[in-house]
Amino acid sequence: MTTASSADHPTRRDFLYVATGSVAAVGAAFTVWPLVSQMNPDASTIAAGAPIEVDLTPIAEGQDIKVFWRGKPIYISHRTKKQIEAAQNVALASLPDPQPDSARVKAGHDQWLVVIGICTHLGCIPIAHEGAYDGFFCPCHGSVYDTSGRIRQGPAPTNLPVPPYTFVSDTKIQIG
Amino acid sequence: MSGPSDFQPTNPALKWIERRLPIMGLMHSSFVAYPTPRNLNYFWTFGAILSMMLGVQILTGVILAMHYTPHADLAFKSVELIVRDVNYGWLLRNIHACGASMFFFAVYIHMFRGLYYGSYKEPREVLWILGVIIYLLMMATGFMGYVLPWGQMSFWGATVITNLFSAVPYFGESIVTLLWGGYSVGNPTLNRFFSLHFLLPFVIAGVVVLHVWALHVAGQNNPAGVEPKTAKDTVPFTPYATMKDAFGVSCFLLFFAWFIFYMPNYLGDPENYIPANPAVTPAHIVPEWYYLPFYAILRSIPNKLAGVVAMFGAIVVLAFLPWLDSAKTRSSKYRPLAKQFFWMFVVVCIGLGYLGAQPPEGIYVIVGRILTFLYFAYFLILLPVLSRIEKPRPVPNSIADDVLAKSGGKAATMVSSVIALMVAGGLLLGGAESARAAEGGPKPPGEKWSFAGPFGKFDRGALQRGLKVYKEVCASCHGLSFVAFRNLAEPGGPGYSVAQAAAFASEYKVKDGPNDAGDMFERPGRPADYFPSPFPNEQAARAANGGAYPPDLSLINKARSYGRGFPMFLIDFFTQYQEQGPDYVAALLQGYEDNAPAGFTLPEGSYYNKYFPGHAIKMPKPLSDGQVTYDDGSPATVAQYAKDVTTFLMWTAEPHMEARKALGLQVFVFLILLTILLYFTKKKVWANAH
């Protein structure tokens, strides 16, 4: 098999080889797609991630509950006056991830804090009403969050995220 | 792999590795420089095809295992949800399930090729025995894989095959209990079968490495059956064999894709779309087509232990072939008698396959015994005798001589023998088909379905009307446990919007709970809910229906079938006809007659239906003219209702049918293009070799 000519000027044979190789390569690339795509959440998992409704009436002031949405724990805290004030009267400049308390709760519903209870460091679950700021404390690596779920101390880089939610009525929220 | 490699990398990094682990040299000498006889025909590409199929089965199998649940209560549902919910799950499952059949199809051609050309003879005995071991491992793996979906045929197949071991004298029952891990086939059995089904392919891969190693030590056999002597007799593996194999693989993929995209259930048993039920045995327990010859041998012997011994003996005898056939001439091409007897043996094997699918009665038993005798006679009597008395024709001096002597007639023989093999395979499949035909009764008339054929699509109007008929009529007794309300809004479905599907769901009451108080409660349905069954469990359903159990309808169109008779299955393969289920269901709905024909005694509480097996059905006539109001002006007749609801049930059985057919078309266009390109590339490459 001598294709010495191919280096200088391409021949029809080279074209055939390149065309065959390219078609095979395209086929291989497309074949990989379903093999990767199957790892994504399936239709039933996506359907199970539909919004959930939570009734707030049983949560007394100073209490919090944990609900699950899309496999994630969501803390719903009924904050006391003192906690709300503590959250509001913080110099934003002193925060690692500056965010006013008003951006983390719904207007007119200051007493309700809804956050995804997953430490933004490495995904552990912080404990409520613990730590120096009476907010959340993650025992794994010592991240401390305040009563607004903002990071104050420790290795976590950002505040606890607020999930999408709306007030259906004064005593009921829909998460998702 | 024989001798030290002359592979010399130039790149310093590669040199560094090669000095410490000569893997590239190994690859080079095995798959690049390896001398290949230049007269190999396309039967030799099945080795490459088999390597590819093993890879495909392992890859898709590992992926399916990510989604499958090996539990007796969940296995069937998990398989259905793979097909319905997992992204491209239907594709992966079709590849894996049809792939098993393709794997065996290829291995049989590979084995018959070895038999014909004497590939088992000195110095390739170990190579051959390793092949027999691989085949045994494949059979075990295939059987255990078939059990995993936990359908009726899976469950009863497992029961029957494990009971084979009860034939062992004295220890039989203990061995069977050991295999089951219980008092009957159950969850422990399923669990260990899953574990072993995952493990064995890797064992096969290990033995395949030995098989290829032995091959590369002894060198490949070839159609002339003479060893290469000079450099003129061989060509380097790459690019010659590589390109030829690539072309062969591409052709095989076309054949494979035909099944994956257009005939996915052609090779499977409809019974396996019914969840396993330890209380009911299917009318016919038939293994997959690739085990039928051995099943026939098992049933031919009227003694339990002897039958089992004969069945295993039929495979083990292959391992002794190198010593049973002592002829000096390898290839049957030069053995006029052996050649004829070889083809008779092929016919015997196909005949056994056909008989394996027939009910074991009457003439089938007698013919089965004759063929079983002929099968063993071929190995134990004919080949030893033949190798002593036959006078073979002279073999060519060298492979080069063989190539030069070739005339143009070769291609024609090849094509005709491949066609003959395919027809034979079809016969086998047809045999499996007719095993289900014994119920009798008139054949349901073939209906025209919008979803039939490679370009078929669901008729949206029919789906919507069918849903209405289901809801107003069928749903009072039957559930659709594998269909969620959200499916109504998915592509390929009845074409409702998400809001419409949610509204439809909310009309249903769904049992939920327990709540904080520990109570079950009812709430309106949500899109993520599945169509509920009107009964809490099977017992309640039976109690409300005079003892008959209204089956879940999600899979009814796939779980029903009827025999198509002799030449039809071949035509079915080419026309991609797979609408037996829908035809049957539509016919059943219209097959009611008020008065049973004279001489037919209808059992108490039954109704006469000419299409139901035995003609006595417990379900009263469900449809009558004018029962459901249609808004779109379609006639409100039983025929229309039956057709619409069957169309709807077809969609519930396979919601991704349209995606399957659409992707199939793209794959075919691609594969045809690739095959043509590979053909010309192969031709160009081989032009250098002549």
Side-chain angles (χ1 to χ4, degrees):
Chain A
M1 50 162 304
T2 46
T3 48
S5 58
S6 59
D8 309 327
H9 32 84
T11 60
R12 283 169 62 188
R13 174 180 304 196
D14 292 328
F15 175 76
L16 177 63
Y17 290 172
V18 171
T20 309
S22 329
V23 169
V26 168
F30 276 106
T31 308
V32 171
W33 174 243
L35 304 182
V36 174
S37 171
Q38 53 86 21
M39 304 269 273
N40 273 317
D42 71 18
S44 63
T45 308
I46 291 169
I52 55 164
E53 287 196 343
V54 184
D55 183 14
L56 302 177
T57 18
I59 313 171
E61 202 173 274
Q63 266 195 337
D64 58 85
I65 62 160
K66 213 191 279 182
V67 295
F68 273 85
W69 177 65
R70 294 194 172 174
K72 293 173 180 166
I74 312 260
Y75 277 110
I76 303 173
S77 295
H78 193 167
R79 304 190 293 183
T80 58
K81 284 256 167 355
K82 204 175 134 219
Q83 285 177 313
I84 297 167
E85 274 167 27
Q88 286 170 345
N89 302 333
V90 173
L92 284 185
S94 68
L95 296 173
D97 180 13
Q99 229 183 344
D101 187 58
S102 56
R104 301 182 51 79
V105 295
K106 302 284 175 202
H109 299 284
D110 276 350
Q111 70 274 39
W112 297 106
L113 176 72
V114 181
V115 287
I116 298 177
I118 297 180
C119 181
T120 56
H121 179 219
L122 290 175
C124 307
I125 310 295
I127 305 164
H129 294 300
E130 288 250 347
Y133 299 91
D134 193 26
F136 303 88
F137 171 67
C138 182
C140 307
H141 306 101
S143 293
V144 186
Y145 300 87
D146 66 12
T147 51
S148 190
R150 292 171 298 198
I151 183 66
R152 300 297 283 269
Q153 280 172 15
T158 55
N159 303 333
L160 293 178
V162 178
Y165 72 97
T166 48
F167 276 86
V168 182
S169 69
D170 269 357
T171 57
K172 204 174 218 179
I173 59 169
Q174 187 189 47
I175 301 175
Chain B
M1 281 189 194
S2 47
S5 170
D6 52 357
F7 178 66
Q8 293 295 338
T10 46
N11 183 310
L14 294 183
K15 256 188 195 156
W16 189 89
I17 295 173
E18 192 66 6
R19 165 108 168 73
R20 287 150 183 86
L21 179 71
I23 188 156
M24 284 165 298
L26 182 77
M27 288 295 159
H28 183 85
S29 55
S30 306
F31 300 111
V32 180
Y34 178 69
T36 316
R38 65 194 303 165
N39 61 341
L40 298 186
N41 60 33
Y42 276 104
F43 285 113
W44 262 264
T45 60
F46 280 90
I49 288 168
L50 284 164
S51 314
M52 175 199 69
M53 284 314 299
L54 180 62
V56 166
Q57 291 300 89
I58 289 182
L59 185 66
T60 53
V62 166
I63 290 174
L64 288 171
M66 294 176 189
H67 301 282
Y68 170 77
T69 315
H71 189 285
D73 297 340
L74 306 168
F76 187 88
K77 184 154 194 175
S78 81
V79 172
E80 265 318 303
L81 297 190
I82 286 173
V83 172
R84 287 153 192 269
D85 289 345
V86 172
N87 304 313
Y88 292 102
W90 60 268
L91 175 64
L92 294 161
R93 197 244 175 151
N94 283 357
I95 293 176
H96 196 74
C98 298
S101 274
M102 295 298 112
F103 205 162
F104 276 95
F105 177 75
V107 90
Y108 284 135
I109 294 183
H110 193 67
M111 287 162 74
F112 277 124
R113 187 269 286 153
L115 223 54
Y116 184 81
Y117 292 112
S119 297
Y120 47 85
K121 290 186 182 171
E122 191 275 323
R124 300 188 179 83
E125 296 93 332
V126 171
L127 172 61
W128 176 262
I129 291 168
L130 286 168
V132 175
I133 293 172
I134 293 173
Y135 178 54
L136 275 170
L137 285 168
M138 275 177 68
M139 294 182 94
T141 310
F143 158 65
M144 285 192 256
Y146 190 57
V147 174
L148 299 186
W150 216 238
Q152 268 293 68
M153 212 42 110
S154 295
F155 182 89
W156 289 101
T159 303
V160 167
I161 301 298
T162 48
N163 262 315
L164 287 180
F165 293 90
S166 67
V168 176
Y170 194 68
F171 301 107
E173 293 300 326
S174 318
I175 294 174
V176 173
T177 308
L178 189 78
L179 292 174
W180 287 341
Y183 305 113
S184 59
V185 172
N187 194 50
T189 324
L190 175 60
N191 238 311
R192 65 190 59 183
F193 276 23
F194 176 61
S195 172
L196 292 172
H197 183 69
F198 203 107
L199 169 74
L200 286 183
F202 296 97
V203 178
I204 293 177
V207 185
V208 165
V209 169
L210 298 180
H211 190 67
V212 173
W213 186 2
L215 172 74
H216 283 208
V217 171
Q220 278 169 292
N221 186 30
N222 62 79
V226 293
E227 295 295 316
K229 290 182 187 123
T230 61
K232 278 207 297 185
D233 288 343
T234 61
V235 287
F237 192 89
T238 301
Y240 298 96
T242 320
M243 285 318 301
K244 202 169 177 175
D245 285 348
F247 172 66
V249 163
S250 195
C251 289
F252 188 78
L253 284 177
L254 273 167
F255 179 64
F256 190 7
W258 188 274
F259 285 98
I260 295 172
F261 293 106
Y262 296 122
M263 308 289 290
N265 294 310
Y266 187 69
L267 300 168
D269 198 297
E271 198 82 33
N272 227 22
Y273 278 111
I274 303 169
N277 182 352
V280 183
T281 307
H284 305 279
I285 300 179
V286 194
E288 293 290 84
W289 67 267
Y290 35 85
Y291 300 137
L292 285 175
F294 303 101
Y295 190 60
I297 291 174
L298 169 78
R299 295 194 310 184
S300 291
I301 313 279
N303 172 296
K304 188 172 175 178
L305 177 60
V308 174
V309 169
M311 188 183 77
F312 284 108
I315 301 159
V316 173
V317 73
L318 289 169
F320 295 96
L321 197 53
W323 297 278
L324 290 170
D325 176 13
S326 57
K328 290 280 170 286
T329 306
R330 269 200 208 119
S331 172
S332 294
K333 250 168 95 179
Y334 308 106
R335 298 178 63 189
L337 287 176
K339 186 196 248 175
Q340 289 174 28
F341 282 114
F342 168 82
W343 288 110
M344 283 185 214
F345 176 69
V346 173
V347 171
V348 166
C349 291
I350 291 166
L352 281 170
Y354 173 77
L355 292 172
Q358 303 307 314
E361 56 199 23
I363 183 78
Y364 296 128
V365 180
I366 299 159
V367 180
R369 285 186 191 153
I370 295 170
L371 293 190
T372 302
F373 172 76
L374 292 178
Y375 180 93
F376 284 103
Y378 178 76
F379 291 107
L380 301 176
I381 304 170
L382 185 88
L383 285 180
V385 171
L386 209 56
S387 52
R388 281 169 182 81
I389 63 165
E390 189 181 20
K391 197 169 153 20
R393 294 198 284 118
V395 298
N397 279 325
S398 69
I399 290 174
D401 283 1
D402 181 51
V403 174
L404 289 175
K406 284 268 153 64
S407 64
K410 190 201 78 172
T413 355
M414 275 291 309
V415 170
S416 58
S417 47
V418 165
I419 289 175
L421 270 170
M422 279 175 65
V423 171
L427 259 170
L428 223 60
L429 304 174
E433 186 100 342
S434 54
R436 295 172 220 126
E439 279 90 0
K443 283 218 174 89
E447 301 250 356
K448 278 227 176 317
W449 300 106
S450 69
F451 49 80
F455 305 107
K457 278 190 179 349
F458 287 117
D459 172 350
R460 307 285 155 210
L463 283 185
Q464 298 186 358
R465 291 193 299 271
L467 173 62
K468 193 159 196 248
V469 175
Y470 166 78
K471 195 187 171 197
E472 291 182 19
V473 183
C474 316
S476 57
C477 293
H478 299 271
L480 285 174
S481 50
F482 301 111
V483 183
F485 295 116
R486 66 185 151 84
N487 294 141
L488 296 173
E490 282 168 8
Y496 287 116
S497 69
V498 174
Q500 279 172 315
F504 186 88
S506 66
E507 290 170 24
Y508 277 83
K509 286 267 168 280
V510 174
K511 217 175 210 67
D512 200 350
N515 59 14
D516 296 348
D519 298 323
M520 302 301 285
F521 57 93
E522 280 197 337
R523 59 163 174 79
R526 299 177 190 142
D529 288 321
Y530 292 85
F531 278 68
S533 165
F535 304 105
N537 56 40
E538 186 181 328
Q539 280 66 30
R542 282 187 189 281
N545 287 282
Y549 177 50
D552 189 89
L553 294 185
S554 314
L555 287 162
I556 206 78
N557 273 0
K558 284 192 181 177
R560 292 291 180 269
S561 181
Y562 56 90
R564 296 269 297 156
F566 170 59
M568 281 317 288
F569 56 83
L570 270 180
I571 299 166
D572 289 351
F573 172 75
F574 289 106
T575 57
Q576 303 177 342
Y577 172 81
Q578 45 171 9
E579 279 77 38
Q580 295 104 304
D583 282 351
Y584 173 81
V585 171
L588 181 77
L589 290 170
Q590 299 171 71
Y592 285 87
E593 272 163 30
D594 292 340
N595 300 309
F600 185 89
T601 36
L602 203 58
E604 190 70 24
S606 296
Y607 303 86
Y608 187 82
N609 188 313
K610 59 183 169 187
Y611 294 114
F612 191 73
H615 305 310
I617 185 170
K618 288 251 175 142
M619 171 168 78
K621 188 173 192 266
L623 299 168
S624 48
D625 289 344
Q627 193 175 357
V628 180
T629 331
Y630 280 156
D631 311 328
D632 63 356
S634 301
T637 59
V638 168
Q640 185 68 32
Y641 294 151
K643 187 132 196 227
D644 290 341
V645 81
T646 309
T647 302
F648 173 69
L649 292 178
M650 188 62 198
W651 170 74
T652 64
E654 196 189 358
H656 290 297
M657 189 206 73
E658 290 187 2
R660 163 166 71 78
K661 293 187 172 179
L663 185 60
L665 182 65
Q666 295 165 23
V667 167
F668 262 92
V669 170
F670 169 79
L671 278 179
I672 289 170
L673 174 69
L674 180 67
T675 310
I676 292 171
L677 281 170
L678 281 170
Y679 174 74
F680 285 112
T681 303
K682 188 225 93 180
K683 244 180 113 167
K684 275 275 180 283
V685 164
W686 276 82
N688 298 324
H690 299 307

